[in-house]
Amino acid sequence: MKMKKLAVLFAAAALTTVTAAGCSGGQKENVSDTAKEPEKVTAAEQTQEVEEKAPETTAEAAEAEAEAAAGSDGENYDTGDASKDNARNQDGIGENELLVVSFGTSYNDSRRLTIGAIEDAVEKAFPDFAVRRGFTSQIIIDHVKSRDNIAIDNVGEALERAEKNGVRNLVIQPTHLMNGLEYTDLVNEAAEYSDAFDKVAIGKPLLTTEDDFRAVMKAVTEATARYDDGETAICFMGHGTEAESNQVYATVQHMLAEAGYKNYYVGTVEAAPCLDDVLEAVKEGSYKKVVLAPLMIVAGDHANNDMAGDEEGSWKTAFEDAGYEVTCLVSGLGQLEAIQQLFVEHAQAAVDSLTK
Protein backbone atom coordinates (compact mmCIF):
# COMPACT_ATOMS: atom_id res chain seq x y z
CA MET A 1 0.00 0.00 0.00
CA LYS A 2 1.56 3.28 -1.12
CA MET A 3 1.81 5.69 1.79
CA LYS A 4 0.78 9.31 1.51
CA LYS A 5 3.18 11.83 2.89
CA LEU A 6 1.00 12.66 5.86
CA ALA A 7 2.67 13.92 9.00
CA VAL A 8 2.60 11.57 11.96
CA LEU A 9 3.03 13.99 14.83
CA PHE A 10 4.91 12.92 17.90
CA ALA A 11 7.31 14.37 20.42
CA ALA A 12 10.79 13.03 21.09
CA ALA A 13 11.10 11.72 24.64
CA ALA A 14 13.49 12.87 27.31
CA LEU A 15 16.69 10.91 27.82
CA THR A 16 19.63 11.57 30.08
CA THR A 17 23.31 11.26 29.29
CA VAL A 18 24.52 9.64 32.48
CA THR A 19 26.27 6.28 32.18
CA ALA A 20 24.09 3.57 33.72
CA ALA A 21 25.33 1.49 36.59
CA GLY A 22 26.60 -1.99 35.99
CA CYS A 23 25.14 -4.85 38.01
CA SER A 24 27.16 -7.77 36.76
CA GLY A 25 30.77 -6.85 37.11
CA GLY A 26 32.69 -3.65 36.57
CA GLN A 27 32.39 -0.42 38.50
CA LYS A 28 28.95 0.35 39.86
CA GLU A 29 27.35 3.76 39.99
CA ASN A 30 25.72 4.52 43.30
CA VAL A 31 21.96 4.98 42.94
CA SER A 32 22.26 8.39 44.58
CA ASP A 33 24.83 9.71 42.09
CA THR A 34 23.74 12.71 40.08
CA ALA A 35 22.33 12.53 36.59
CA LYS A 36 22.00 15.23 33.97
CA GLU A 37 18.70 16.77 33.01
CA PRO A 38 16.68 15.15 30.19
CA GLU A 39 17.67 15.77 26.57
CA LYS A 40 15.76 15.30 23.36
CA VAL A 41 16.60 12.62 20.82
CA THR A 42 15.63 12.54 17.19
CA ALA A 43 13.28 10.07 15.54
CA ALA A 44 16.21 8.81 13.45
CA GLU A 45 18.17 8.03 16.60
CA GLN A 46 15.17 6.18 18.04
CA THR A 47 14.84 4.11 14.86
CA GLN A 48 18.53 3.21 14.95
CA GLU A 49 18.13 2.13 18.55
CA VAL A 50 15.35 -0.28 17.59
CA GLU A 51 17.35 -1.71 14.71
CA GLU A 52 20.28 -2.41 16.99
CA LYS A 53 18.30 -4.02 19.83
CA ALA A 54 15.58 -6.59 19.26
CA PRO A 55 12.32 -5.92 21.17
CA GLU A 56 12.40 -9.47 22.53
CA THR A 57 15.33 -8.48 24.76
CA THR A 58 13.38 -5.87 26.69
CA ALA A 59 12.38 -6.35 30.31
CA GLU A 60 8.76 -5.84 29.30
CA ALA A 61 8.91 -8.83 26.96
CA ALA A 62 10.51 -10.89 29.71
CA GLU A 63 7.68 -9.98 32.06
CA ALA A 64 5.10 -10.98 29.47
CA GLU A 65 6.75 -14.36 29.08
CA ALA A 66 6.84 -14.78 32.85
CA GLU A 67 3.15 -13.95 33.19
CA ALA A 68 2.23 -16.38 30.42
CA ALA A 69 4.49 -19.13 31.77
CA ALA A 70 2.94 -18.80 35.21
CA GLY A 71 -0.37 -19.91 33.76
CA SER A 72 0.89 -22.52 31.32
CA ASP A 73 0.04 -25.42 33.62
CA GLY A 74 -2.89 -23.83 35.40
CA GLU A 75 -2.42 -20.66 37.42
CA ASN A 76 -2.00 -20.99 41.15
CA TYR A 77 -2.84 -17.35 41.83
CA ASP A 78 -5.89 -15.14 41.40
CA THR A 79 -5.46 -11.99 39.33
CA GLY A 80 -9.07 -10.85 39.60
CA ASP A 81 -12.24 -10.97 37.53
CA ALA A 82 -11.47 -10.29 33.85
CA SER A 83 -15.13 -9.54 33.09
CA LYS A 84 -14.91 -6.29 35.09
CA ASP A 85 -12.40 -4.89 32.62
CA ASN A 86 -13.46 -3.07 29.44
CA ALA A 87 -11.36 -4.34 26.53
CA ARG A 88 -12.47 -1.32 24.47
CA ASN A 89 -12.50 -3.25 21.19
CA GLN A 90 -15.93 -2.06 20.09
CA ASP A 91 -16.77 -0.82 16.62
CA GLY A 92 -18.97 2.23 16.00
CA ILE A 93 -16.02 4.50 16.64
CA GLY A 94 -16.93 7.58 14.61
CA GLU A 95 -14.62 10.08 12.95
CA ASN A 96 -12.46 10.82 16.01
CA GLU A 97 -10.60 8.11 17.92
CA LEU A 98 -8.18 8.26 20.82
CA LEU A 99 -6.29 4.97 20.93
CA VAL A 100 -4.62 4.30 24.28
CA VAL A 101 -1.69 1.94 23.70
CA SER A 102 -0.16 -0.03 26.59
CA PHE A 103 2.29 -2.86 26.88
CA GLY A 104 -0.39 -4.77 28.80
CA THR A 105 -0.66 -7.19 31.69
CA SER A 106 -2.51 -10.44 32.35
CA TYR A 107 -3.16 -9.42 35.97
CA ASN A 108 -6.84 -8.63 35.60
CA ASP A 109 -7.38 -6.38 38.62
CA SER A 110 -4.22 -4.41 37.95
CA ARG A 111 -5.14 -4.03 34.27
CA ARG A 112 -8.52 -2.55 35.23
CA LEU A 113 -7.19 -0.35 38.03
CA THR A 114 -4.25 1.04 36.04
CA ILE A 115 -4.65 0.86 32.27
CA GLY A 116 -8.42 0.91 32.57
CA ALA A 117 -8.29 3.91 34.89
CA ILE A 118 -6.06 5.81 32.49
CA GLU A 119 -8.45 5.02 29.63
CA ASP A 120 -11.40 6.17 31.74
CA ALA A 121 -9.64 9.45 32.55
CA VAL A 122 -8.88 10.02 28.87
CA GLU A 123 -12.49 9.24 27.92
CA LYS A 124 -13.79 11.74 30.47
CA ALA A 125 -11.40 14.44 29.23
CA PHE A 126 -12.19 13.97 25.53
CA PRO A 127 -15.94 13.40 25.04
CA ASP A 128 -15.62 14.06 21.30
CA PHE A 129 -13.28 11.09 20.85
CA ALA A 130 -14.06 7.39 21.03
CA VAL A 131 -11.46 5.80 23.33
CA ARG A 132 -10.15 2.40 22.30
CA ARG A 133 -7.40 0.07 23.57
CA GLY A 134 -4.36 -1.48 21.97
CA PHE A 135 -1.66 -3.68 23.59
CA THR A 136 1.85 -4.11 22.23
CA SER A 137 2.50 -7.49 23.89
CA GLN A 138 1.07 -10.32 21.82
CA ILE A 139 2.10 -12.76 24.55
CA ILE A 140 -0.15 -10.98 27.04
CA ILE A 141 -3.00 -10.72 24.51
CA ASP A 142 -2.82 -14.45 23.74
CA HIS A 143 -2.64 -15.40 27.42
CA VAL A 144 -5.68 -13.33 28.39
CA LYS A 145 -7.61 -14.71 25.41
CA SER A 146 -6.71 -18.31 26.28
CA ARG A 147 -7.36 -18.02 30.00
CA ASP A 148 -10.28 -15.57 30.18
CA ASN A 149 -11.68 -15.56 26.64
CA ILE A 150 -11.22 -11.79 26.56
CA ALA A 151 -10.08 -10.37 23.21
CA ILE A 152 -7.76 -7.37 23.31
CA ASP A 153 -6.57 -5.74 20.09
CA ASN A 154 -2.88 -5.52 19.30
CA VAL A 155 -1.79 -2.25 17.72
CA GLY A 156 -2.21 -3.51 14.16
CA GLU A 157 -5.72 -4.82 14.89
CA ALA A 158 -6.66 -1.56 16.59
CA LEU A 159 -5.44 0.48 13.61
CA GLU A 160 -7.29 -1.79 11.17
CA ARG A 161 -10.45 -1.41 13.28
CA ALA A 162 -10.07 2.36 13.15
CA GLU A 163 -9.62 2.31 9.39
CA LYS A 164 -12.66 0.07 8.81
CA ASN A 165 -14.75 2.33 11.03
CA GLY A 166 -13.93 5.37 8.94
CA VAL A 167 -11.89 7.21 11.54
CA ARG A 168 -10.54 10.47 10.12
CA ASN A 169 -8.67 11.94 13.10
CA LEU A 170 -6.62 9.45 15.11
CA VAL A 171 -4.77 10.31 18.30
CA ILE A 172 -2.57 7.62 19.86
CA GLN A 173 -1.60 8.02 23.50
CA PRO A 174 0.88 5.46 24.82
CA THR A 175 1.07 4.60 28.51
CA HIS A 176 4.75 3.76 28.24
CA LEU A 177 6.98 5.06 31.01
CA MET A 178 9.68 6.28 28.65
CA ASN A 179 10.62 6.81 25.04
CA GLY A 180 12.30 3.46 24.40
CA LEU A 181 12.02 0.49 22.09
CA GLU A 182 8.29 -0.02 22.52
CA TYR A 183 7.50 3.63 21.85
CA THR A 184 9.60 3.71 18.69
CA ASP A 185 7.94 0.51 17.46
CA LEU A 186 4.57 2.19 18.00
CA VAL A 187 5.58 5.26 16.00
CA ASN A 188 6.84 3.09 13.15
CA GLU A 189 3.71 0.92 13.10
CA ALA A 190 1.44 3.96 13.11
CA ALA A 191 3.37 5.40 10.16
CA GLU A 192 2.43 2.34 8.10
CA TYR A 193 -1.23 3.40 8.40
CA SER A 194 -0.65 7.09 7.78
CA ASP A 195 -2.59 7.05 4.50
CA ALA A 196 -5.66 5.55 6.19
CA PHE A 197 -6.54 8.69 8.15
CA ASP A 198 -6.70 12.42 7.51
CA LYS A 199 -4.62 13.25 10.56
CA VAL A 200 -2.63 11.20 13.05
CA ALA A 201 -0.94 12.43 16.23
CA ILE A 202 1.03 10.47 18.81
CA GLY A 203 1.28 11.63 22.41
CA LYS A 204 4.38 11.55 24.57
CA PRO A 205 5.28 8.80 27.07
CA LEU A 206 4.97 9.49 30.79
CA LEU A 207 8.54 10.67 31.42
CA THR A 208 9.38 13.08 28.63
CA THR A 209 10.00 16.62 29.88
CA GLU A 210 11.52 17.93 33.08
CA ASP A 211 8.03 18.92 34.20
CA ASP A 212 6.92 15.30 33.68
CA PHE A 213 9.70 14.04 35.92
CA ARG A 214 8.76 16.52 38.61
CA ALA A 215 5.08 15.62 38.37
CA VAL A 216 5.84 11.91 38.69
CA MET A 217 8.20 12.55 41.59
CA LYS A 218 5.49 14.55 43.35
CA ALA A 219 2.93 11.80 42.72
CA VAL A 220 5.04 8.95 44.11
CA THR A 221 6.31 10.87 47.13
CA GLU A 222 2.79 11.95 48.06
CA ALA A 223 1.56 8.37 47.63
CA THR A 224 4.21 7.11 50.06
CA ALA A 225 4.34 10.10 52.43
CA ARG A 226 2.81 8.15 55.33
CA TYR A 227 5.87 5.87 55.36
CA ASP A 228 8.38 8.73 55.37
CA ASP A 229 9.15 8.65 59.11
CA GLY A 230 12.93 9.02 59.13
CA GLU A 231 13.48 5.33 59.85
CA THR A 232 12.28 3.95 56.52
CA ALA A 233 13.96 3.62 53.15
CA ILE A 234 11.42 3.88 50.32
CA CYS A 235 12.57 1.92 47.28
CA PHE A 236 11.01 1.97 43.82
CA MET A 237 11.52 -0.88 41.37
CA GLY A 238 11.35 -0.21 37.63
CA HIS A 239 11.55 -2.64 34.72
CA GLY A 240 14.87 -1.55 33.28
CA THR A 241 15.88 -1.82 29.64
CA GLU A 242 19.02 -2.30 27.56
CA ALA A 243 18.18 0.87 25.62
CA GLU A 244 19.62 4.30 26.38
CA SER A 245 16.23 5.29 27.78
CA ASN A 246 17.10 3.26 30.89
CA GLN A 247 18.79 6.43 32.10
CA VAL A 248 15.42 7.85 33.14
CA TYR A 249 15.81 5.90 36.39
CA ALA A 250 19.03 7.74 37.21
CA THR A 251 17.25 11.00 36.45
CA VAL A 252 14.39 10.17 38.83
CA GLN A 253 16.93 9.23 41.51
CA HIS A 254 18.84 12.46 41.03
CA MET A 255 15.73 14.62 41.15
CA LEU A 256 14.49 12.89 44.30
CA ALA A 257 17.80 13.52 46.05
CA GLU A 258 17.94 17.10 44.80
CA ALA A 259 14.45 17.72 46.21
CA GLY A 260 15.50 16.45 49.63
CA TYR A 261 14.12 12.92 49.46
CA LYS A 262 17.38 11.35 50.57
CA ASN A 263 15.66 8.19 51.82
CA TYR A 264 14.11 7.41 48.41
CA TYR A 265 15.88 4.94 46.12
CA VAL A 266 15.29 3.80 42.55
CA GLY A 267 16.37 0.50 41.00
CA THR A 268 15.37 -1.90 38.23
CA VAL A 269 14.72 -5.59 37.79
CA GLU A 270 16.83 -6.26 34.73
CA ALA A 271 19.13 -3.29 34.24
CA ALA A 272 20.93 -0.67 36.31
CA PRO A 273 20.71 0.29 39.09
CA CYS A 274 19.95 -3.27 40.15
CA LEU A 275 18.83 -4.79 43.45
CA ASP A 276 22.42 -5.06 44.73
CA ASP A 277 22.98 -1.36 44.05
CA VAL A 278 19.83 -0.35 45.91
CA LEU A 279 20.54 -2.67 48.84
CA GLU A 280 24.08 -1.33 49.15
CA ALA A 281 22.84 2.27 49.12
CA VAL A 282 20.17 1.57 51.76
CA LYS A 283 22.74 -0.09 54.02
CA GLU A 284 24.67 3.17 54.09
CA GLY A 285 21.76 4.71 56.00
CA SER A 286 20.44 3.95 59.48
CA TYR A 287 17.09 2.57 58.39
CA LYS A 288 15.11 -0.06 60.27
CA LYS A 289 12.32 -0.49 57.76
CA VAL A 290 12.01 -0.64 53.97
CA VAL A 291 9.00 0.06 51.77
CA LEU A 292 9.01 -1.44 48.27
CA ALA A 293 6.85 -0.10 45.44
CA PRO A 294 6.88 -0.59 41.66
CA LEU A 295 7.87 2.29 39.39
CA MET A 296 5.71 0.75 36.67
CA ILE A 297 2.34 1.61 35.16
CA VAL A 298 0.88 -1.79 36.13
CA ALA A 299 1.55 -4.20 38.98
CA GLY A 300 2.16 -7.42 37.06
CA ASP A 301 4.60 -10.28 37.38
CA HIS A 302 7.59 -8.12 38.31
CA ALA A 303 5.72 -6.32 41.09
CA ASN A 304 4.05 -9.43 42.48
CA ASN A 305 7.01 -11.80 42.23
CA ASP A 306 10.34 -10.08 41.62
CA MET A 307 9.50 -7.35 44.12
CA ALA A 308 6.98 -8.75 46.62
CA GLY A 309 7.47 -12.49 46.18
CA ASP A 310 8.55 -14.84 48.94
CA GLU A 311 11.00 -16.72 46.73
CA GLU A 312 14.75 -16.33 47.11
CA GLY A 313 16.08 -13.51 44.97
CA SER A 314 13.08 -11.21 45.30
CA TRP A 315 13.57 -7.69 46.57
CA LYS A 316 11.43 -8.51 49.59
CA THR A 317 13.47 -11.52 50.68
CA ALA A 318 16.76 -9.73 49.99
CA PHE A 319 15.87 -6.86 52.30
CA GLU A 320 14.40 -9.18 54.93
CA ASP A 321 17.59 -11.26 54.86
CA ALA A 322 19.49 -8.02 55.42
CA GLY A 323 17.51 -7.46 58.61
CA TYR A 324 14.91 -4.92 57.52
CA GLU A 325 11.19 -4.90 58.25
CA VAL A 326 9.67 -4.86 54.76
CA THR A 327 6.34 -3.49 53.51
CA CYS A 328 5.35 -4.10 49.89
CA LEU A 329 2.98 -1.77 48.03
CA VAL A 330 1.77 -3.82 45.08
CA SER A 331 0.04 -1.17 43.00
CA GLY A 332 0.96 0.34 39.66
CA LEU A 333 1.55 4.01 38.90
CA GLY A 334 -1.58 3.95 36.76
CA GLN A 335 -3.70 3.81 39.91
CA LEU A 336 -2.57 7.31 40.91
CA GLU A 337 -4.90 10.07 39.74
CA ALA A 338 -1.94 12.40 39.20
CA ILE A 339 -0.40 9.91 36.76
CA GLN A 340 -3.71 9.48 34.95
CA GLN A 341 -3.99 13.24 34.55
CA LEU A 342 -0.43 13.50 33.24
CA PHE A 343 -1.37 11.11 30.45
CA VAL A 344 -4.46 13.24 29.82
CA GLU A 345 -2.20 16.29 29.46
CA HIS A 346 -0.01 14.46 26.96
CA ALA A 347 -3.09 13.38 25.03
CA GLN A 348 -4.33 16.98 25.05
CA ALA A 349 -1.09 18.17 23.46
CA ALA A 350 -1.50 15.52 20.76
CA VAL A 351 -5.14 16.52 20.16
CA ASP A 352 -4.14 20.18 19.93
CA SER A 353 -1.49 19.33 17.34
CA LEU A 354 -4.19 18.12 14.94
CA THR A 355 -5.32 21.69 14.35
CA LYS A 356 -1.90 23.18 13.75
Side-chain angles (χ1 to χ4, degrees):
M1 176 168 60
K2 187 176 181 180
M3 292 172 53
K4 297 178 184 177
K5 294 184 178 179
L6 295 177
V8 177
L9 306 174
F10 64 96
L15 295 176
T16 61
T17 56
V18 125
T19 302
C23 295
S24 57
Q27 184 176 1
K28 293 183 180 179
E29 175 191 34
N30 188 286
V31 294
S32 295
D33 286 350
T34 60
K36 295 183 180 179
E37 297 297 340
E39 314 183 325
K40 298 253 178 125
V41 295
T42 67
E45 290 170 335
Q46 297 170 29
T47 301
Q48 180 181 6
E49 179 183 288
V50 171
E51 291 174 348
E52 291 175 350
K53 297 181 182 295
E56 288 78 7
T57 65
T58 66
E60 290 88 347
E63 176 170 21
E65 293 174 357
E67 286 193 16
S72 60
D73 296 322
E75 291 179 352
N76 58 359
Y77 57 89
D78 181 12
T79 69
D81 186 351
S83 68
K84 294 181 179 180
D85 182 42
N86 182 0
R88 293 188 181 274
N89 58 1
Q90 303 92 340
D91 289 314
I93 298 173
E95 292 188 352
N96 301 319
E97 177 181 346
L98 209 160
L99 176 63
V100 179
V101 174
S102 306
F103 178 79
T105 180
S106 66
Y107 281 67
N108 294 326
D109 280 346
S110 182
R111 185 171 66 252
R112 173 174 51 83
L113 295 172
T114 57
I115 294 171
I118 293 169
E119 294 165 344
D120 289 343
V122 169
E123 184 174 59
K124 182 178 180 180
F126 302 97
D128 294 333
F129 283 76
V131 176
R132 296 293 182 266
R133 171 186 292 179
F135 279 4
T136 59
S137 173
Q138 192 62 47
I139 297 174
I140 294 296
I141 291 171
D142 292 343
H143 184 41
V144 173
K145 176 63 175 176
S146 174
R147 183 192 63 193
D148 303 312
N149 197 30
I150 300 294
I152 298 172
D153 285 347
N154 60 33
V155 175
E157 291 167 341
L159 292 172
E160 289 176 6
R161 187 184 301 279
E163 181 179 11
K164 291 177 181 178
N165 275 261
V167 171
R168 296 180 60 187
N169 301 307
L170 175 65
V171 173
I172 303 173
Q173 178 56 55
T175 66
H176 301 131
L177 189 75
M178 64 186 74
N179 183 348
L181 303 176
E182 294 284 338
Y183 182 73
T184 306
D185 283 346
L186 173 61
V187 170
N188 292 339
E189 190 164 5
E192 295 177 5
Y193 286 80
S194 63
D195 63 343
F197 313 103
D198 290 353
K199 294 181 180 180
V200 180
I202 303 181
K204 300 174 184 179
L206 184 67
L207 292 173
T208 300
T209 67
E210 182 176 344
D211 286 342
D212 292 339
F213 278 82
R214 295 194 183 284
V216 171
M217 179 181 68
K218 183 175 184 291
V220 299
T221 52
E222 287 182 352
T224 54
R226 64 186 180 278
Y227 300 102
D228 191 1
D229 58 4
E231 297 183 347
T232 304
I234 301 172
C235 305
F236 288 96
M237 184 188 75
H239 281 107
T241 174
E242 295 179 358
E244 288 296 319
S245 52
N246 189 75
Q247 295 169 23
V248 301
Y249 299 109
T251 300
V252 173
Q253 179 68 74
H254 166 65
M255 295 181 76
L256 283 165
E258 190 177 52
Y261 295 101
K262 304 293 185 179
N263 59 322
Y264 279 69
Y265 302 88
V266 179
T268 69
V269 181
E270 300 188 17
C274 60
L275 170 59
D276 290 343
D277 294 327
V278 178
L279 187 58
E280 181 179 331
V282 171
K283 286 180 178 179
E284 293 177 0
S286 56
Y287 306 110
K288 298 179 181 179
K289 296 175 287 185
V290 169
V291 169
L292 302 177
L295 192 67
M296 309 174 191
I297 301 302
V298 304
D301 182 74
H302 282 321
N304 283 273
N305 295 309
D306 293 308
M307 187 191 81
D310 294 324
E311 299 296 323
E312 182 179 356
S314 75
W315 284 41
K316 176 187 175 184
T317 57
F319 277 101
E320 286 178 340
D321 290 346
Y324 297 99
E325 177 185 333
V326 179
T327 299
C328 294
L329 308 178
V330 187
S331 59
L333 294 178
Q335 291 184 234
L336 301 178
E337 184 177 353
I339 300 299
Q340 297 162 17
Q341 290 307 308
L342 190 52
F343 280 121
V344 168
E345 292 176 15
H346 287 190
Q348 183 68 65
V351 170
D352 293 344
S353 72
L354 293 177
T355 60
K356 293 181 180 180

